[in-house]
């Protein structure tokens, strides 16, 4: 990809900084399947502590971290509840069913506007006449929900619902760092609300690879077994964990700048009537139902002007800010997009 191209498709497109690469090169390593990689062990301990849990496990991807966590809390032939747009049932290629024998049932897609009463009404108890619910999953921030942040009060209410029904609560926290920065909620406060979390280092935090499953010591011991069975046991993974440790140390607070860039983009485009949602974090969803061109036409015209955008549906597109697009690039992208939309 030419450096002049402004890539707003996703925050996964970032490349490691010089500082991150130096940390990777200097990493002390060992064989992590033997539990002997000191940098992986340090990362796992650090992330567990950040979320106030006993343990964490390094995994290659957010999808694998989610699926390991789901297998910990939902036995085969039992049920997971989540929203219809959740990453775990939209973009993980049926993994919960294929690997965990998990049955998934969804509430209508509402992004971050989860209604705990709706969720509570869906829970099915143990019995031979229906699939018993064993876990509820939420996404913080919500990817297809335009980077929306589930308010702390809603999460607390969901915890109460889960406790009452004695089911687990899982958080797909690929971008939980963004929620933490946007709402000022300490990571440990989020951590205390969930039985399991998956968190990603390779989205807004800028690491090339890596996610973690977070939970109790007992769950993470089982998670190690599930990860190996899924082919996710890595060897000298410390070079990757070092990138993650660097990201945690240097790239959390700076997310506020990405949120500000997203807000600027949204503001520039708003007069053209294409903004679907209030932008809270680094994702800018575009609703093109009233625009003069559809999502594919917009993406093609933007590409011709050196700006890459994601097409999510016939009339839905998305822009994502991240550490590899600076303020100047955001201004140039806003110019290109407004020129296209004005035409
Ligand atoms: C909310 C959410 N969860 C999980 C993932 C999966 O991460 P990965 O691509 O590392 O599998 C993503 C990826 O974008 C995501 O947005």
């Amino acid at each position: 990809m030419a450096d002049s191209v402004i890539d707003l498709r996703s925050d996964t497109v970032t490349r490691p900084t010089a500082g991150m690469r130096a940390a990777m090169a200097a990493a002390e390593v060992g064989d992590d399947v033997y539990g002997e990689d000191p940098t992986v062990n340090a990362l796992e301990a650090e992330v567990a502590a950040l979320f106030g849990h006993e343990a964490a496990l390094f995994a290659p991807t957010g999808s694998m971290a989610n699926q390991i966590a789901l297998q910990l809390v939902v036995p085969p032939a039992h049920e997971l509840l989540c929203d219809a747009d959740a990453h775990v049932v939209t973009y993980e290629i049926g993994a919960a069913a294929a690997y965990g024998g998990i049955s998934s049932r969804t509430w209508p897609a509402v992004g971050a506007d989860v209604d705990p009463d709706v969720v509570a009404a869906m829970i099915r108890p143990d019995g031979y006449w229906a699939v018993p619910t064993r876990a509820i999953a939420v996404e913080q921030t919500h990817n297809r929900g335009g980077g929306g942040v589930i308010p702390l009060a809603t999460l607390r209410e969901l915890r109460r619902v889960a406790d009452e029904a004695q089911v687990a609560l899982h958080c797909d926290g690929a971008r939980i760092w963004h929620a933490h920065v946007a709402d000022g909620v300490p990571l440990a406060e989020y951590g205390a609300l969930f039985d399991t979390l998956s968190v990603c280092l390779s989205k807004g935090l800028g690491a090339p690879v890596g996610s973690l499953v977070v939970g109790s010591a007992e769950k993470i011991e089982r998670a190690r077994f599930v990860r190996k069975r899924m082919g996710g046991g890595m060897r000298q993974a410390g070079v990757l964990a070092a990138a993650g440790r660097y990201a945690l140390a240097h790239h959390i607070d700076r997310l506020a700048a990405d949120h500000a860039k997203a807000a600027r983009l949204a503001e520039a485009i708003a007069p053209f009537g294409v903004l679907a949602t209030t932008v809270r974090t680094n994702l800018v969803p575009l609703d093109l139902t009233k625009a003069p061109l559809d999502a594919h036409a917009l993406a093609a015209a933007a590409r011709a002007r050196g700006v890459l955008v994601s097409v999510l549906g016939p009339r839905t597109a998305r822009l994502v800010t991240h550490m590899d697009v600076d303020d100047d690039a955001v201004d140039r992208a806003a110019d290109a997009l407004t020129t296209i939309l004005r035409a």
Side-chain angles (χ1 to χ4, degrees), residues 12 61-63 66 87 92 139 143 172 174-175 200 202-203 211:
T12 56
T61 65
S63 300
N66 271 331
H87 195 281
E92 297 182 13
E139 199 169 300
N143 182 341
D172 175 352
R175 295 183 183 80
C200 289
S202 60
K203 310 287 177 311
S211 294

Side-chain angles (χ1 to χ4, degrees), residues 14-131:
T14 56
R15 281 162 288 190
T17 61
M20 185 178 278
R21 286 173 192 264
M24 294 171 78
E28 226 188 302
V29 296
D31 189 326
D32 182 48
V33 171
Y34 293 132
E36 289 172 2
D37 189 302
T39 311
V40 171
N41 293 342
L43 172 69
E44 291 176 345
E46 203 172 316
V47 171
L50 273 180
F51 288 93
H53 273 268
E54 287 174 338
L57 183 77
F58 192 44
T61 65
S63 300
M64 192 187 283
N66 271 331
Q67 294 302 327
I68 291 170
L70 295 182
Q71 288 182 50
L72 298 178
V73 292
V74 187
H78 290 66
E79 180 181 79
L80 170 75
L81 300 180
C82 62
D83 78 88
D85 260 351
H87 195 281
V88 291
V89 291
T90 307
Y91 296 123
E92 297 182 13
I93 329 292
Y99 298 128
I102 295 171
S103 183
S104 300
R105 198 155 48 95
T106 58
W107 64 83
V110 285
D113 295 328
V114 185
D115 181 343
D117 290 338
V118 169
V119 179
M122 290 177 70
I123 294 173
R124 287 177 175 152
D126 277 1
Y128 60 84
W129 60 90
V131 185

Side-chain angles (χ1 to χ4, degrees), residues 4 11 31-32 51 81 93 142 158 171 177 197 221 245:
S4 59
D11 49 11
D31 189 326
D32 182 48
F51 288 93
L81 300 180
I93 329 292
H142 202 291
L158 279 169
C171 179
W177 329 100
L197 301 96
E221 206 179 306
R245 295 192 74 199

